[in-house]
Amino acid sequence: MMHVHKVYHRSLSLLALSVSARSPPFSPSSLSLSPPAFLALRPFRNAFSSLKTASTMTASRFTNLVPINALAGEDNGAVSSSSSSSNTAPNGNEDESTLGVGYCLPPPEIKDIVDAPPLPALSFSPHRDTILFLKRRALPPLAELARQEEKLAGIRIDGRYNTRSRMSFYTGIGIHQLMPDGTLGPEKEVHGYPDGAKINFVTWSLDGQHLAFSIRVDDEENTSSKLRVWVADVETGNARPLFQSPNIYLNAVFDNFVWVNNSTLLVSTIPLSRGAPPSKPLVPTGPKIQSNEQKNIIQVRTFQDLLKDEHDEDLFDYYTTTQLVLASMDGTVKEIGPPAVYTSMDPSPDGKYLLISSIHRPYSFIVPCGRFPKKVDLWTTDGKFVRELCDLPLAEDIPIVSNSVRKGMRSINWRADKPSTLYWVETQDGGDAKVEVSPRDIVYTQPAEPLEREQPAILHQLDLRYGGISWCDDSLALVYESWYKTRRVRTWVVSPGSEDSSPRILFDRSSEDVYSDPGSPMLRRTPTGTYVIAKVSKENDESTYILLNGSGATPEGNIPFLDLFDINTGNKERIWQSDKEKYYETVVALMSDLKEGDLRLDQLKILTSKESKTENTQYYILIWPDKQACQITNFPHPYPQLTSLQKEMIRYQRKDGVQLTATLYLPPGYDPSKDGPLPCLIWSYPGEFKSKDAAGQVRGSPNEFAGIGPTSPLLWLARRFAILSGPTIPIIGEGNEESNDRYVEQLVASAEAAVQEVIQRGVAHPNKISVGGHSYGAFMTANLLAHAPHLFCCGIARSGAYNRTLTPFGFQNEDRTLWEATTTYVEMSPFMSANKIKKPILLIHGEEDNNPGTLTMQSDRFFNALKGHGALCRLVILPFESHGYASRESIMHVLWETDRWLQKFCVSNNSDVNADVDPTSKDDSSKGATDSKSEAAAASGGGGPEASHFECEELHPRLHCQSLATGW
C-alpha cells in the first residue's frame, strides 16, 4: 500500500494505490498511527525507514508531506468554536487586560484559508480500475481532544473506543470507476451504515470486490460506541456489519484487521469475557522501587507516557489484550489462539499461514511498549499452532548511539515473491553500534514449515546496518544497508535462488549526496497482493531491466525522472522526466502491473502528479508508447486568494563558503520597486551534515505548489509579509568533528547569510525581520535571539526544548551523553543564555506534548528564566494539545497570537533593530551560551530537549510508531 499526503490538509491526498489483503488498512491519521510521508509497499518498509536519508523511497518527493495536524494525530474537521469565546484583534492594539481571556480568531484573511473545506483522499483499487474518494472534515473541536486518555507504555488510548486516542476519521466513501479514456465515472456512495458514522481503516479485498472498514458512532447522550467492522460491496455500494453478533468489537490499539483471502478477515477483537477496567487502589501496596544492583549500563532518552505502577500495567493489559478471530463473509466466526497482547498479524502470500507477534510481561517503567518482551509465533489460517519463531526479552539496554538495535531476530517478514517463506535479520554486534565487528548483520530465510533439522539459510551478510529488502524473484532481490555516522548507504544485488551467485554492490554512496541518488525501484502488485520489483522487457532485447524512480536533485532544483535500468550492466535510459520549466511532476505508481511476467515497455502505464507554483496538484495517467497524459482529477485551488503568490528558490553563501538555499515567497501583486521592502518572517529547521558539499546541495523544486497547512508561516502572505521558508541551516561536522560542537557559530552564520540575502534583494525591511520555528526550529529561534539579536526584531518558538542538560542521554541526532560532551550540551542551550535575550519572544506549547524531550516544562521554565531577566516574552500553553496542534480553537488561537506578535513587534517596529541589544551580545554570538558550569547545574531542574528521531520500534510492520511533527 502507498500513503501519500500533501502538506496542506485541504488538498488531494492519494492515500493508497492498492490497499488489499497484503496491505494495511488505513485511517486518515491518528496520534500514534500516522503514516510516514510516503510509505513504501509493506514488504520493504524496513528498508526505507532505515534509509530515510538515502532517498530509497519510491518517490522521495513525498518525504515532507504529512500535515502537522495529522502528525499530531487529529483529523481535519470544520467545526465552530462556539463552546469558547472567540475574539478577533488583528492589529495588536488590544487592552493588555483582555489578553489571555478565551480563544481568539485570527484576521479573516488567515481564518478563511484555514477554514476552507478539505478535498477528499483517494484510494485506487488493486486492479487500478476503481477509485475511492474518502471524504473528510476540516479541523476538529477542542472537545474531541478533551476526552479522557489513558497514557500507558508510550501510547495514548481512548478507552471509550478502545483504540489510540485522537484518532481521526472519514465521513463518507464515494466510489468512481476509472474509465478507459481516463475520466472518472459518476460517484456511487457507500451506504447502509448509521448516519454520522466515523469511518477508519478502509481496506480493499484482494480481488477488489469488497471493502472492509471500521465504524464508530456517538449517540444522542454523547457516549461513544466501540469500533465495529463493516464490509461493503464495491459494485453496489451496500455496506453491512461483518459480525452478526452485536457484541463483537474491534480492538484497534495495535493491529486491527487484515484480509486473509477474498472472503475472510482476521480481526483483533475485544475478548467477550472482559469486564470493567481495573480500579486504582486507594492505598498503594508499597513504594515504587527501581533498582540497578547488577550495575547494568542502561541509557534511555526522555520517553513520555510510560507505565508508572502495577495499576498502569493492569490497565495496559486490559486495553491491549486481544482475541484474534477469523471472520468469513458468510458469518462464520472462529477464534485463533488464546487472548494476548497481539501487536501484529500477517498472512503469508498464499494465505496458508499467519505470522503473529505479541508482547508480554515483565513490562518496564523506563521504556515504551516497543521494547517490551516480544514473541513471534506461526499459525495456520485454520487455527493450528505451528511453531514459535522467537521470544525476545525486555530491551531496556539498547544503546543510544545511532544504528543501535535490539538483540535477536528482528524485521521478521514474508518474502513477497514466495508463497510462504520467512526472512529476518540478526545482529552480530549485540545491537551496539559502537562494537566493531564483521559482519554486523546477517539476513536469513527459511520456509514456514522447514524440514526436520533444516537450518535457516543465509541470504546475505552486511557490514553496515540492515535496512530492508526489495524482492523480485529467485534471480533478483535488492538488499539495503546504511550507517548514520558516515552517512554511507549501499544497495546489494543478490540472487536468492542461486547459491553460486555472489552478491555484488549496485550503489555505494552518501545518503547526504542527493545529486547522486539513482532513484528507487518501482514495485508491481502480484496476484497474491504483495509487491515486488517490476521487471521490464524491451522488444528484441534479452537484458533484465527495472524502473528507477528518482527525485532528480540538481543545482537548479529537483527534476524527477524515470530510468530504464539494466540491472546487470548498470546502463540506464531516461524514459520520462518532469517538465523543468514550469511544472513539477512526479511518478506516483505503476498502473500496468496486472499481468504475469515482465512488463512490456511499449505497454507501460504510470500514475503521475503535476503541479506548479500556482496550480495545485492534479493526477494523470501516462501511457506508453505515446506517453499521452490523461488528467483524472480536477481539484479546485484550495486558497484562490493566494493563487498569484510569488515563489522563488534562491541561493546564497555563508561566510565560510557553504552554499545555502531557501524558498522566498512574496504576496500576490507585490512589486519591490513600487511597494518597497516588506516585513519578513523567516521560518526554518536546522539539519546535520558530514560535509560542506552535501550541505550546499539544492533540495526541492522551484515549481512545487505552495502548500499551506493550518499553521503554516505562508499564511502571512495574506498579511503582506515576505516569507523566507526553510532556509538551510546546516550544522556540519566533517571527519571526526561533531556537528554540535560548533552549533551556535554555524547557526548564526547561516542566519546572517539569510538575512543579508533578503535585505540585499530589497524585499525585507532590515528592522522588520522576525524568526520562528517548531520543535527543533523553536530551539533554533531561541538561540538566534540569544546569539544574533542584531538580525531579528522578534521571534516565535513553538513546542521547543531549551535546556539540553535535561536530556543527558542524547537529543535530536546527538549521540554523546551530557558527561561526554558537557560543554556542547551547555553552550547549545538557550536557557543558559536567557539573560542575553532582549528581543520579544513568543513561546507556544501544547500542554500534553508527548514528544521525547519537548516536555511542556521546557517552555514553562524557559519563560520563567526570561522573565527573571526582564525579557519581553509571552507564554501560551494550549490545553489538551500535543506536540503538533490539532483542534480548531487551538490552531486559530495560535494564529491569532502569532499575528498579534508579528503586527506589534515586527510590522510596527520602527526603531533601530539594535537599539535594545546588549552591545556585547553580538561580539560573543558564536562563543556559546553560558559563562560558568555552575549556571548549568543550577538550571538542571527538569524537562528535557526533544529527540526528533523518536525511536520507531515497530510493534508491527503495518503499524508505525508515533510520527511527530518536527517542523512545518
Side-chain angles (χ1 to χ4, degrees), residues 837-854:
I837 296 179
K838 308 300 181 182
K839 294 302 175 64
I841 182 169
L842 172 64
L843 304 175
I844 301 175
H845 216 121
E847 191 171 26
E848 300 295 329
D849 193 331
N850 64 341
N851 186 45
T854 55

Side-chain angles (χ1 to χ4, degrees), residues 53-76:
T53 54
S55 299
T56 55
M57 298 188 192
T58 305
S60 59
R61 172 249 194 294
F62 297 107
T63 56
N64 64 336
L65 298 183
V66 179
I68 190 169
N69 61 308
L71 288 169
E74 199 38 65
D75 180 319
N76 331 333

